[in-house]
């Protein structure tokens, strides 16, 4: 049942990923499709989280994060206004989170959301747990953003999060 649910959920995502595998949504239909996937995954995960194994849940959260990046207008604006320049993206992100909270050293970006609770309105409010899977959604959202701007793969680690008992959301983004 677990593998059937993961397979069923993955199929519509693959279609949208093929349309927007760069993280950039250039058409209204891409944005609408991404919003629909985000809503579907949010509803599905809310109902089925306890029945899914951790690996499947993480994959679903990552897909939700990628879809969310494509669906959020402000993320798409960051991509467009960065003009393929990661330093410009870091500067623009700094205007949102504060310049000291988005910095780049060589191929590494340190990103902090300086708030004491999860900033995602799509994630449920609940007590912190050490490996809350919803943080993987935010990591994937940032991965899609930085990959879209750089045109290269990036990895994102969640270093700290209020959902996981931390004070703020802190990410380490490694560019290649």
């Amino acid at each position: 049942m677990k593998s059937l649910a993961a397979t069923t959920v993955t199929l519509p995502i693959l279609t949208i990923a093929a349309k927007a595998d760069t993280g950039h949504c250039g058409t209204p239909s891409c944005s609408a499709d991404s919003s629909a996937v985000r809503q579907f995954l949010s509803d599905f995960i809310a109902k089925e989280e306890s029945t899914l194994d951790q690996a499947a849940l993480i994959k679903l959260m990552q897909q939700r994060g990628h879809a969310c990046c494509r669906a959020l207008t402000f993320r798409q604006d960051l991509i467009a206004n960065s003009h393929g320049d990661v330093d410009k993206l870091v500067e623009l992100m700094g205007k949102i989170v504060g310049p000291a909270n988005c910095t780049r050293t060589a191929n590494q970006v340190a990103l902090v959301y300086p708030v004491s609770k999860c900033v995602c309105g799509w994630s449920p409010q609940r007590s912190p747990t050490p490996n809350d899977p919803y943080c993987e959604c935010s990591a994937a959202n940032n991965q899609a953003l930085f990959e879209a701007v750089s045109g290269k793969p990036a990895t994102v680690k969640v270093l700290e999060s209020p959902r996981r008992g931390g004070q703020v959301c802190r990410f380490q983004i490694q560019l290649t």
Side-chain angles (χ1 to χ4, degrees):
M1 180 67 169
K2 288 180 184 179
S3 62
L4 177 60
T7 303
T8 304
V9 171
T10 303
L11 293 176
I13 296 165
L14 293 175
T15 304
I16 291 171
K19 291 181 191 174
D21 59 2
T22 66
H24 175 68
C25 248
T27 65
S29 65
C30 174
S31 181
D33 288 351
S34 295
S35 292
V37 167
R38 178 183 58 191
Q39 184 65 57
F40 171 80
L41 286 173
S42 295
D43 293 346
F44 179 82
I45 292 166
K47 291 176 187 166
E48 300 297 332
E49 180 179 358
S50 66
T51 67
L52 298 170
D53 67 69
Q54 188 69 12
L57 183 56
I58 299 273
K59 287 179 184 178
L60 290 169
M61 295 309 299
Q62 290 168 336
Q63 290 297 324
R64 190 182 104 163
H66 292 154
C68 193
C69 183
R70 290 188 299 271
L72 289 172
T73 301
F74 90 95
R75 290 292 191 167
Q76 293 302 301
D77 290 346
L78 286 168
I79 293 167
N81 294 332
S82 294
H83 305 288
D85 182 348
V86 172
D87 289 326
K88 183 65 174 176
L89 175 60
V90 168
E91 176 189 332
L92 294 171
M93 290 287 291
K95 291 179 180 181
I96 297 169
V97 298
N101 292 314
C102 189
T103 59
R104 180 180 181 185
T105 304
N107 285 335
Q108 190 168 301
V109 175
L111 175 61
V112 177
Y113 298 161
V115 294
S116 61
K117 65 176 193 162
C118 183
V119 299
C120 178
W122 290 84
S123 296
Q125 298 299 315
R126 60 186 183 193
S127 298
T129 57
N131 291 309
D132 192 305
Y134 281 86
C135 298
E136 299 305 326
C137 181
S138 293
N141 189 313
N142 283 304
Q143 177 188 29
L145 176 65
F146 278 85
E147 287 181 351
V149 171
S150 71
K152 298 177 182 176
T155 57
V156 179
K157 291 182 184 177
V158 179
L159 302 178
E160 180 182 3
S161 158
R163 294 189 75 83
R164 294 180 177 180
Q167 297 300 307
V168 296
C169 290
R170 185 181 315 276
F171 302 95
Q172 179 184 42
I173 301 160
Q174 187 66 46
L175 307 169
T176 58

